[in-house]
Amino acid sequence: MKKRIIVTGGTGYIGSHTAVELIQEGYEVILLDNLYNSEAEVAGRIGQITGTTPVLEVIDLCDASKLDATLKKHSGADAIIHFAAYKAVGESVNKPLEYYRNNLVSLMNLLDSMRSFSIPHMVFSSSCTVYGQPAILPVTEDAPVQPAVSPYGNTKQIGEEIIRDAVAAYEQINAISLRYFNPIGAHASALIGELPRGVPENLVPFITQTAYGLRDELKVFGVDYDTPDGSCIRDYLHVVDLAKAHVIAVERLISGKNKNPYEVFNLGTGKGVSVLEAISAFERATGVSLRYSITGRRPGDIEKIWADPSLANRELGWKTLSTLEECMRTAWAWENEIRKKK
Ligand code: WQD
């Protein structure tokens, strides 16, 4: 019988790409999403790619009784991959209580339901933001977690702690937290990708929207950092590579190959790329030149971070395969696809 995986936030950016990979690996996938930041038609697009349209349950995870009813309906799930969360860093500063309530109540409700319905495994969507500005680069999983700069980042830190403590207390639950660096790009089919609301906060959606003519120019937030070209450095990885890591993490838990009841892995390429290098990669990959100007630093930005992904390489047998140019090409194809529809 097919293993059944519940994917919360399943119509969102990373959730939808993960659903595709799971279905292609033979899993049955149930999507849970409140459609706050995504669209129901994504389930159909997953179906177009894979030949199997997953069931979509439109549900708010903060509603514990509805959540229980939904998991009862789809009983016998083998694992939950938990993506559903608010994720806008800037917005979280102005709406901290909404962020804490939404991101943490939903997580606690899920953990409660896992106990009630004997769902033994969770993969949690965490973030490299837990490291703040690391003293040593590349950053390993042992680097200290630093006080979060934003309420959003704090929900990821607290989320990890809640899971760690729940796994310690309840023997029947095992979990893996995956700390993502900067996911970018879109599925090669251009049928799914990131759908930012309003003005994008993140670099790559801003680049593709500017190239398309929706924004006048990209503003590069600071070239006076202590980096080779002065702009900030991040570790950008393709969302499909990231999605595949979730399939491996689920398999690891289901087959009992995990070495501890709670494990944490960095997911990145291991390569730092500056903002100016990212712009050049976009131009090279697409042949489109980008209008940009240099402006002041963005408050809250860290100077440089990139992953040491060797634990994930070794333990999960996972590494990124796509180049930065492929990331940019697929992001650009997706931008063009979205605009075609509108
Ligand atoms: C990347 C670089 C900007 C926009 C985000 C989340 C964080 C985590 C990782 C999930 C920075 C620069 C950006 C622009 C620019 N995600 N930039 N002009 O800041 O690394 O973090 O992804 O948990 O929580 O905040 O990503 O894409 O916003 O920025 O120059 O218009 O691009 O200064 O150096 P960031 P980003």
Side-chain angles (χ1 to χ4, degrees):
M1 220 177 60
K2 282 188 176 183
K3 300 281 185 198
R4 175 174 288 176
I5 313 295
I6 306 285
V7 181
T8 78
T11 46
Y13 176 42
I14 307 172
S16 59
H17 287 82
T18 299
V20 166
E21 298 302 315
L22 285 166
I23 294 167
Q24 287 177 339
E25 289 298 320
Y27 289 93
E28 182 195 352
V29 171
I30 313 286
L31 310 177
L32 270 49
D33 207 299
N34 66 358
L35 304 180
Y36 170 78
N37 196 18
S38 61
E39 288 170 17
E41 67 158 292
V42 170
R45 289 176 160 245
I46 294 169
Q48 271 178 269
I49 298 170
T50 62
T52 306
T53 301
V55 171
L56 167 62
E57 297 286 359
V58 178
I59 176 193
D60 190 331
L61 303 178
C62 292
D63 184 339
S65 55
K66 252 199 183 154
L67 175 59
D68 277 355
T70 306
L71 293 180
K72 198 167 179 184
K73 182 173 155 195
H74 300 286
S75 65
D78 296 280
I80 293 180
I81 308 182
H82 181 39
F83 294 104
Y86 292 166
K87 61 170 187 176
V89 178
E91 183 185 64
S92 79
V93 175
N94 301 318
K95 298 180 170 178
L97 298 182
E98 279 95 327
Y99 270 68
Y100 286 116
R101 188 174 298 112
N102 185 64
N103 292 4
L104 299 178
V105 172
S106 57
L107 172 62
M108 290 187 285
N109 285 348
L110 271 176
L111 289 163
D112 270 337
S113 302
M114 287 171 72
R115 297 179 67 208
S116 307
F117 296 99
S118 304
I119 303 172
H121 308 302
M122 175 183 274
V123 176
F124 178 61
S125 169
S126 189
S127 167
C128 67
T129 48
V130 301
Y131 299 120
Q133 174 61 67
I136 301 167
L137 288 167
V139 64
T140 67
E141 290 80 355
D142 298 330
V145 167
Q146 297 199 45
V149 176
S150 70
Y152 161 74
N154 211 18
T155 66
K156 291 297 175 190
Q157 289 189 7
I158 298 169
E160 283 198 11
E161 288 167 4
I162 289 173
I163 295 169
R164 181 200 62 202
D165 293 347
V167 167
Y170 313 127
E171 261 174 34
Q172 67 271 40
I173 299 180
N174 284 6
I176 293 178
S177 284
L178 299 176
R179 292 178 178 163
Y180 317 150
F181 283 68
N182 290 50
I184 59 169
H187 196 264
S189 62
L191 286 167
I192 53 172
E194 190 172 10
L195 272 178
R197 279 179 310 170
V199 181
E201 286 196 30
N202 295 119
L203 179 64
V204 173
F206 209 104
I207 288 179
T208 55
Q209 289 198 6
T210 305
Y212 199 86
L214 299 174
R215 314 271 159 216
D216 286 344
E217 60 173 12
L218 170 76
K219 297 221 180 315
V220 175
F221 297 139
V223 289
D224 57 348
Y225 287 99
D226 182 18
T227 60
D229 65 21
S231 64
C232 290
I233 294 179
R234 298 288 183 273
D235 184 338
Y236 298 95
L237 76 161
H238 198 288
V239 66
V240 173
D241 283 331
L242 180 60
K244 289 180 198 289
H246 293 77
V247 180
I248 297 171
V250 153
E251 276 165 2
R252 180 177 175 90
L253 289 168
I254 291 177
S255 60
K257 290 201 187 106
N258 49 318
K259 297 216 168 122
N260 292 298
Y262 178 56
E263 297 180 311
V264 175
F265 295 100
N266 282 345
L267 297 180
T269 66
K271 192 172 172 298
V273 169
S274 75
V275 177
L276 296 176
E277 285 169 340
I279 294 170
S280 306
F282 175 82
E283 292 182 326
R284 237 183 0 259
T286 63
V288 180
S289 70
L290 195 74
R291 281 168 63 94
Y292 68 91
S293 67
I294 312 291
T295 171
R297 294 183 176 195
R298 178 171 72 176
D301 261 344
I302 57 159
E303 184 168 88
K304 51 189 166 201
I305 186 166
W306 62 95
D308 180 340
S310 49
L311 188 66
N313 298 160
R314 203 169 56 241
E315 283 295 321
L316 303 179
W318 171 89
K319 66 176 171 43
T320 55
L321 298 173
S322 290
T323 62
L324 184 59
E325 280 74 13
E326 278 162 349
C327 292
M328 295 299 185
R329 252 194 309 278
T330 53
W332 179 233
W334 170 243
E335 185 68 55
N336 283 278
E337 177 66 22
I338 318 173
R339 303 307 148 199
K340 218 166 59 189
K341 285 195 296 162
K342 291 197 169 151

